[in-house]
Amino acid sequence: MGDKPIGGEKRVFMTGNEVVAYGALAAGADIMYGYPITPQNEIMHYWTRMVPKYGKGFLQTEDELSAGFTTIGGVLAGKRAFTATAGPGNVLMQEPMSMAEAMRLPTVAVVQQRGGPSTATVIYSQQEVILTTMGGNGEGLRVVYSTATHQELFDYTIKAFNTAWKYRFPTFVLGDGYQAKMRESLTLYDPEDRGIEMVVPEAFVGRSGTPGVDRPPAQYRNTYSMEEELAGALAENIAAYEKAAPEISEYEEMGTQDADLVIVAHGVVSRAAKLAARDLGKEGIRVGYFRPITLRPLPVKRIRELAGGTGTFLVVESAYGQLARILMEAAFGAAVRIVPLYKPGVGVTSEEVVTRVRELVGQSL
Amino acid sequence: MTIEPVMPKCWRADTKPHKFCPGCGHGLVLKALGEAIDELDIQDRVVFGCDIGCSLLAWDFFNLDTVQTHHGRTIPVITGLKRANPGLVGVAYMGDGGGYAIGAQHLVSSAARGEKITAILVNNTQYGMTGGQMAPTTLPGQKTETSPYGRDPETTGTPTQGPEMVATITADGAYVARGTVFNVRQLKTFLKKALENQMAGRGYSFVEALSLCPTNWRTNAEETWNMVNKVMPEYFKVGELKVPAGMGGQ
Amino acid sequence: MAKTVKIMLAGEGGQGVQSVAEIIAEAANEQGREVLYIPNFGVEQRGGVSIAFLQIGDSPIGSPKFETGDIVVALSDRAITRTVQYVGPATVFVYDAGIEGAQTHLPQNAGRVLGIPAIDVAKRELHPRVFNIIIMGAVIRATGVVPEDAAKAAIEKQLGYKFEKDPQLRELNFKAIDRGAELVAGRL
């Protein structure tokens, strides 16, 4: 049983689902619970092949409700437990994740978005943004990382475990079917070699000593008899979330200084947006590029700064304005004009973004 | 002079009197469970999971590590816990709605997989916490808030035979029994065996407990006891349904 | 720094287009190039036209799928119909000359349309099983995305264990690469 599955830096060429399995392994994940759904299946396929070699655990559950709740059970036992899902499975996953939110449980879930609503396609979309950031009958006290490259898929799978266990909010890595199935290169590493210290998980229940004798019993609930009691618990959790939000939120930007037009995208679409901004720059058309990496909590401060000094946000996404909706909330009151390039359920190429920008620039001349 | 009531050692005295309605059967089931845990001396390793429905009121009932979950989802939480730390003794405590309706897939699948957990299901023939609606276990002709003219098996089926189902779908090594609050001593024996079976790692362990709900049944003491002692056993046979080899039958 | 080359391969399930894309992708990755390869996939496990999107360049690659290929290879009747939408004025469209009635629905707007007798060459000169390797030879010659030696090394890496048992198989595959390259040489 090797403790160091990844020795040294290693350049590899693989699919995103395989990357996630390696990321979880590198992070020291102990056990995965999952239910088959395309396009995340291969995460389970790769993980189950690693299980005996590295002494890990896996359970194939009866549905995503069970996958989420068993993950919670694993977390309660003090293990780095995770699950992966997509589309309709993500819908079911919101029930357990709302419990994790209520009880501040550090679950990690990888979501490979597929087309929606309903069964739709098994291929790709960015239509699970609102669901993943705000799903459940709660306040969205959770962390959602939206990755764009295989390197990030690896980096943020590792980071998700640390964020979850440090701040104790359910944490999601939001990928998509393209990232799941495509192959590209990345560098695998052991987090320790890069100076990344993994937060050590602690058991919520079943610690040493007899409850009521050696220690008080550890009793966790998500039910309250009185409104005031709930309000008190929520106030505490919301305060913790607000405090953590600026530390957690991340973004990437390029050429946004004094840009009158900024292309805003997240996840895999940001690759096309970034390329478009670069290509337009070569033509002498100056546009900025901005990408929230955390969709929850959003990098609100930076968004507000940009929204105050930019004429137009061109919001590009493979959904019908889900990114735009959370962006507008963050930028509320700012003068920025939001122009959509929405392609729900299909990919966006840099050429399409370039064309749209040329139209916009032409209009303003 | 006040005489302190005798409570199982693993009960949590500072949360007593408990939150269940007067005359509720949960206290009796939890007493039998508490005594079984005491006798096995496993207070230090039991993790007690309770469902939504009246069972949630047990979230601070014991001096046991406890997690209160969602309606029907206690079995997967305890399953995940046990898989992650097999040294613990996982107890999933739920009502008939949680186990036979909204969480039926978890009961069926965990039983079929032979999870090494102990599932305890309290059958009081209706949904208590939500105000007395029809449950999978409601008896034919029984009046509830959603079967005000009596349950009609033609349109709503017959009472779920939970232990019979679990006994059928589990592998050898499973322990399956149906006890009743009318016979707490026997119920305690069943629960103790269900815990022992988990600890021995033989297989799935499931105990249904026939229980009382005078509040929603709107019955007086005599009618209540008649219901659990005479009427319910006509549909739900009390006894052991499956006992692993090596474990003596009752 | 070379511009990113966009390659599309399309055929019937079993024709091996995904294997070809994968081997070229591996070869280019070994050469230190930026590579992104994604197969199309749907709810069917088998059946339907199989399409591979492959991009190779020297700078980070944008969207995983593209609108217009630099080279689009269609290996069946249905694959031609399915891929004409990815053809533009600069696209080299390659199809197997043995596809019956192909002429009627070939793209009209392609920069170049090339029919190559890959199925025929495979059957007559080599072996039907290396049909896709002939296609691979044609693609790498037409695009220059990887040297032919690198492609051979990638094949060796993937199928080496089979070649150990049957060295003739190695010869057959390498020959298929060369023959594929010859089929397009001088025609672009």
Side-chain angles (χ1 to χ4, degrees):
Chain A
M1 207 191 294
D3 277 337
K4 291 266 173 201
I6 300 160
E9 307 252 320
K10 197 172 162 201
R11 186 174 187 268
V12 294
F13 184 72
M14 53 174 65
T15 67
N17 281 337
E18 193 172 3
V19 171
V20 170
Y22 273 107
L25 189 68
D30 299 295
I31 186 163
M32 177 184 187
Y33 304 87
Y35 184 77
I37 188 164
T38 309
Q40 73 80 18
N41 296 309
E42 294 83 4
I43 298 176
M44 300 191 298
H45 301 178
Y46 288 111
W47 181 258
T48 49
R49 276 150 187 79
M50 293 168 175
V51 160
K53 193 170 170 195
Y54 301 107
K56 303 295 182 184
F58 175 76
L59 175 66
Q60 183 169 325
T61 59
E62 57 274 22
D63 55 25
E64 288 85 354
L65 293 166
S66 184
F69 282 105
T70 47
T71 300
I72 284 174
V75 165
L76 288 166
K79 302 292 182 186
R80 284 193 196 97
F82 74 108
T83 186
T85 190
N90 193 12
V91 174
L92 293 185
M93 190 58 70
Q94 294 310 314
E95 189 198 325
M97 292 306 109
S98 82
M99 178 164 137
E101 179 180 326
M103 297 161 87
R104 301 282 305 273
L105 302 175
T107 52
V108 171
V110 178
V111 175
Q112 301 287 34
Q113 298 169 94
R114 52 185 266 175
S118 180
T119 311
T121 72
V122 300
I123 303 169
Y124 162 81
S125 86
Q126 293 189 315
Q127 295 171 286
E128 296 171 48
V129 167
I130 299 295
L131 178 66
T132 310
T133 55
M134 291 302 292
N137 56 336
E139 303 296 341
L141 306 182
R142 44 181 67 191
V143 179
V144 180
Y145 292 114
S146 173
T147 59
T149 63
H150 278 10
Q151 190 62 60
E152 287 188 354
L153 210 45
F154 185 73
D155 296 347
Y156 284 99
T157 298
I158 294 171
K159 193 167 198 172
F161 286 96
N162 267 355
T163 303
W165 282 93
K166 181 174 178 192
Y167 299 102
R168 307 232 160 153
F169 290 109
T171 302
F172 297 82
V173 176
L174 187 64
D176 57 67
Y178 283 176
Q179 295 187 65
K181 298 278 187 173
M182 74 190 204
R183 282 171 202 262
E184 69 175 355
S185 66
L186 73 150
T187 302
L188 302 182
Y189 53 83
D190 184 303
E192 202 187 302
D193 295 344
R194 295 239 180 141
I196 300 168
E197 201 180 314
M198 295 307 296
V199 179
V200 180
E202 282 174 17
F204 288 73
V205 294
R207 295 201 201 190
S208 64
T210 302
V213 179
D214 308 312
R215 59 174 175 88
Q219 297 183 322
Y220 298 91
R221 59 166 168 164
N222 52 64
T223 175
Y224 299 94
S225 296
M226 293 181 300
E227 291 160 276
E228 294 77 7
E229 224 182 344
L230 168 66
L234 279 176
E236 203 175 298
N237 290 351
I238 291 167
Y241 189 80
E242 302 254 296
K243 183 168 174 282
E247 294 170 32
I248 296 172
S249 64
E250 291 181 40
Y251 60 90
E252 179 190 64
E253 65 184 317
M254 193 177 80
T256 48
Q257 315 86 315
D258 310 319
D260 190 46
L261 187 147
V262 172
I263 307 167
V264 186
H266 78 94
V268 82
V269 172
S270 67
R271 299 165 69 114
K274 200 173 179 179
L275 210 60
R278 209 168 270 165
D279 289 349
L280 286 158
K282 285 181 200 155
E283 282 180 35
I285 302 175
R286 274 205 49 213
V287 294
Y289 154 83
F290 181 79
R291 167 198 167 209
I293 294 172
T294 47
L295 297 184
R296 185 91 187 143
L298 272 179
V300 175
K301 187 166 164 276
R302 186 61 189 142
I303 290 170
R304 293 196 66 80
E305 284 165 7
L306 286 176
T310 307
T312 304
F313 280 171
L314 173 62
V315 182
V316 188
E317 56 179 310
S318 295
Y320 195 66
Q322 299 199 22
L323 171 64
R325 214 178 302 166
I326 58 174
L327 216 72
M328 281 192 265
E329 189 203 340
F332 183 74
V336 71
R337 172 178 70 135
I338 296 214
V339 175
L341 176 48
Y342 301 155
K343 297 198 72 190
V346 292
V348 187
T349 63
S350 60
E351 291 86 349
E352 289 170 280
V353 181
V354 166
T355 304
R356 190 74 188 102
V357 170
R358 282 209 192 102
E359 284 169 13
L360 291 171
V361 172
Q363 276 169 18
S364 63
L365 284 175
Chain B
M1 182 188 136
T2 40
I3 300 171
E4 288 294 323
V6 181
M7 285 190 268
K9 189 166 74 63
C10 67
W11 273 27
R12 199 177 141 182
D14 65 328
T15 59
K16 305 295 167 295
H18 60 61
K19 308 178 192 80
F20 298 105
C21 299
C24 175
H26 272 290
L28 293 168
V29 182
L30 295 172
K31 183 166 190 191
L33 177 62
E35 288 176 358
I37 289 168
D38 285 354
E39 286 175 23
L40 292 168
D41 194 20
I42 51 174
Q43 191 180 343
D44 60 341
R45 73 202 84 145
V46 171
V47 176
F48 179 72
C50 54
D51 217 73
I52 294 297
C54 296
S55 74
L56 77 82
L57 299 174
W59 75 269
D60 61 354
F61 194 94
F62 290 107
N63 261 324
L64 295 174
D65 286 0
T66 302
V67 54
Q68 169 260 319
T69 77
H70 283 188
H71 195 25
R73 315 299 177 216
T74 306
I75 283 179
V77 170
I78 295 300
T79 294
L81 180 94
K82 179 76 180 185
R83 289 262 178 173
N85 185 351
L88 299 174
V89 177
V91 175
Y93 185 75
M94 74 210 79
D96 36 24
Y100 298 152
I102 195 168
Q105 76 273 37
H106 307 310
L107 176 64
V108 168
S109 302
S110 62
R113 285 196 305 262
E115 296 294 343
K116 310 298 184 289
I117 63 167
T118 301
I120 303 168
L121 186 145
V122 177
N123 171 359
N124 61 9
T125 75
Q126 43 77 52
Y127 286 78
M129 181 154 277
T130 45
Q133 295 83 6
M134 186 176 70
T137 48
T138 297
L139 305 178
Q142 186 180 348
K143 286 181 180 161
T144 69
E145 291 299 327
T146 51
S147 59
Y149 306 107
R151 180 178 190 174
D152 178 5
E154 276 297 313
T155 55
T156 58
T158 51
T160 297
Q161 304 289 310
E164 287 76 2
M165 174 186 71
V166 173
T168 304
I169 63 174
T170 42
D172 293 345
Y175 176 80
V176 184
R178 181 186 281 119
T180 168
V181 296
F182 192 76
N183 187 345
V184 176
R185 188 180 295 258
Q186 180 198 50
L187 178 61
K188 184 182 80 180
T189 308
F190 291 170
L191 292 172
K192 196 170 162 185
K193 287 167 89 167
L195 291 167
E196 281 174 326
N197 196 48
Q198 176 186 170
M199 289 156 66
R202 289 192 199 96
Y204 200 66
S205 302
F206 180 71
V207 177
E208 180 186 286
L210 301 184
S211 187
L212 328 160
C213 185
T215 303
N216 284 309
W217 289 351
R218 300 191 175 87
T219 47
N220 63 26
E222 196 184 331
E223 291 161 346
T224 303
W225 277 114
N226 187 58
M227 174 77 167
V228 76
N229 183 32
K230 298 269 165 57
V231 183
M232 287 172 72
E234 286 174 29
Y235 298 91
F236 307 118
K237 195 169 164 278
V238 173
E240 291 182 316
L241 289 94
K242 197 165 189 170
V243 181
M247 182 189 258
Q250 220 244 334
Chain C
M1 219 164 62
K3 171 181 164 292
T4 298
V5 177
K6 295 168 181 169
I7 302 165
M8 169 169 290
L9 295 156
E12 297 297 314
Q15 280 188 310
V17 295
Q18 302 301 344
S19 322
V20 170
E22 206 177 313
I23 294 169
I24 300 175
E26 293 279 358
N29 178 61
E30 282 298 314
Q31 301 265 303
R33 312 285 307 277
E34 290 281 344
V35 182
L36 195 155
Y37 155 55
I38 186 168
N40 74 320
F41 56 98
V43 283
E44 318 89 353
Q45 278 292 307
R46 302 281 182 271
V49 174
S50 178
I51 302 179
F53 295 80
L54 176 61
Q55 300 179 73
I56 299 170
D58 293 315
S59 54
I61 289 160
S63 165
K65 292 190 181 171
F66 45 80
E67 291 176 321
T68 311
D70 294 306
I71 181 167
V72 173
V73 183
L75 301 179
S76 75
D77 191 42
R78 293 197 302 172
I80 295 173
T81 314
R82 182 82 171 74
T83 53
V84 286
Q85 67 178 104
Y86 298 100
V87 172
T91 306
V92 175
F93 187 87
V94 180
Y95 70 102
D96 192 280
I99 301 169
E100 267 181 59
Q103 302 296 340
T104 59
H105 47 282
L106 288 173
Q108 300 303 307
N109 58 332
R112 198 77 195 258
V113 177
L114 277 187
I116 59 168
I119 294 176
D120 193 48
V121 168
K123 258 194 242 167
R124 280 191 300 109
E125 299 177 23
L126 300 162
H127 190 282
R129 70 199 281 188
V130 293
F131 160 66
N132 63 333
I133 305 298
I134 296 177
I135 294 299
M136 188 172 136
V139 169
I140 56 180
R141 175 64 65 90
T143 56
V145 285
V146 286
E148 276 142 40
D149 287 347
K152 287 177 183 170
I155 294 178
E156 184 73 42
K157 198 173 160 191
Q158 197 147 75
L159 299 174
Y161 69 100
K162 281 190 185 168
F163 296 166
E164 288 302 310
K165 283 182 232 153
D166 184 1
Q168 275 187 333
L169 211 56
R170 177 185 289 116
E171 276 309 297
L172 193 64
N173 275 277
F174 288 2
K175 221 169 182 175
I177 292 272
D178 296 338
R179 278 300 280 132
E182 281 166 30
L183 293 179
V184 295
R187 297 182 65 191
L188 293 161

